[in-house]
Amino acid sequence: NSIDIDWTSNSTATEWEIEYGPSGFTHGNGTFVSATSHPYTVPNLTPATTYDFYVRTVCGAGDTSYWSMMVTASTACSTFSLPYAESFISANFPACWSQTISGTIENPIWSVVDFGAAGGTGYEMITEMYFGTGISRLISPPIDITDAPYALLTYKQLYLDEDGVTTLKIQTSPDLINWTDQPYTYTVSGGLVGPETATLVMTVPTGVNYVAWVIEGDHELIGWAVDDITIEVTAEPCLEPFNLQVSSI
């Protein structure tokens, strides 16, 4: 991973010094590199990490300018391989996870809280109740499922829907645009589900995929807690039917 930085020179200088480090590092204790042109590519950085950068002009031996103001940038996420696991071990929203909202939902609804409602210990991912109707997704990092058309997803959860007008789904996508429903759907007529361990076998195209925890409908009176997520390769399953309904009487 690398980050390109650039600046405007106030002189005819041809040499600059760059200092950088993980965001929040103490200025003066970072990593120093020399540059003789710009833009400059800072190489060998850690994926999914935020860095702070400073630059100053080198006018001659022992003669340097003041440091510039700081700029901050983040490296891209790497693709994760199987088996994959996430247990939300700190209060920070995990690197490379994301969330989207649509419809009349005005605010992102997922956050990391030290609550344990889903049945795990310590921190977990949990929704907040907001006014609005639409679709929200909690989206995993990119996961490489090459040559593994079946992936076993397991996680702990608790779900509360006071009005029973919301549907939960698990979806996958290779591009964050086209989403496919996996064999998992909850539509609760009010009340509480869990804490429990949810397990499903996902059928996915070979290559990189994203997994999403999806809420469709009215978000005002629902809560969903998720923890201890694992995804691993599995064989083609023999699973029980789901979503049993009466079609005629």
Side-chain angles (χ1 to χ4, degrees):
N1 274 259
S2 63
I3 291 176
D4 294 338
I5 62 172
D6 199 4
W7 56 90
T8 299
S9 179
N10 284 324
S11 67
T12 59
T14 57
E15 184 179 356
W16 299 266
E17 186 175 34
I18 299 164
E19 183 187 11
Y20 68 93
S23 187
F25 82 97
T26 301
H27 189 18
N29 293 336
T31 299
F32 296 86
V33 294
S34 295
T36 56
S37 63
H38 60 96
Y40 180 84
T41 299
V42 182
N44 304 319
L45 301 177
T46 302
T49 302
T50 301
Y51 290 87
D52 297 336
F53 298 89
Y54 302 85
V55 65
R56 66 180 177 181
T57 304
V58 178
C59 298
D63 183 14
T64 59
S65 70
Y66 290 109
W67 287 101
S68 69
M69 296 185 66
M70 180 187 73
V71 296
T72 298
S74 300
T75 50
C77 293
S78 291
T79 298
F80 291 81
S81 58
L82 297 181
Y84 173 80
E86 176 60 67
S87 293
F88 310 109
I89 60 175
S90 76
N92 298 319
F93 203 89
C96 301
W97 284 71
S98 61
Q99 55 180 315
T100 62
I101 54 176
S102 67
T104 59
I105 306 164
E106 296 183 354
N107 299 292
I109 68 168
W110 290 94
S111 59
V112 181
V113 178
D114 186 2
F115 196 48
T121 57
Y123 293 98
E124 64 188 1
M125 192 69 76
I126 193 168
T127 63
E128 297 183 43
M129 295 181 180
Y130 284 113
F131 291 102
T133 299
I135 299 175
S136 63
R137 288 186 176 93
L138 171 67
I139 304 172
S140 76
I143 300 172
D144 187 0
I145 314 182
T146 300
D147 300 324
Y150 300 102
L152 178 65
L153 170 64
T154 302
Y155 60 95
K156 294 176 181 176
Q157 70 167 356
L158 179 138
Y159 173 50
L160 171 66
D161 184 353
E162 294 187 14
D163 283 347
V165 294
T166 304
T167 299
L168 307 186
K169 294 182 177 181
I170 299 295
Q171 294 180 331
T172 54
S173 172
D175 55 13
L176 297 175
I177 299 173
N178 301 292
W179 292 95
T180 299
D181 291 350
Q182 296 297 330
Y184 171 95
T185 301
Y186 262 123
T187 302
V188 181
S189 299
L192 185 69
V193 174
E196 64 177 11
T197 298
T199 301
L200 66 146
V201 175
M202 303 182 296
T203 303
V204 292
T206 185
V208 174
N209 286 267
Y210 300 82
V211 180
W213 284 254
V214 184
I215 303 173
E216 291 187 358
D218 189 341
H219 283 55
E220 180 182 355
L221 295 175
I222 63 96
W224 197 5
V226 174
D227 200 3
D228 295 342
I229 296 166
T230 61
I231 304 173
E232 57 188 336
V233 177
T234 190
E236 182 176 3
C238 180
L239 296 176
E240 73 278 8
F242 68 100
N243 197 23
L244 178 64
Q245 301 177 27
V246 175
S247 59
S248 63
I249 298 177

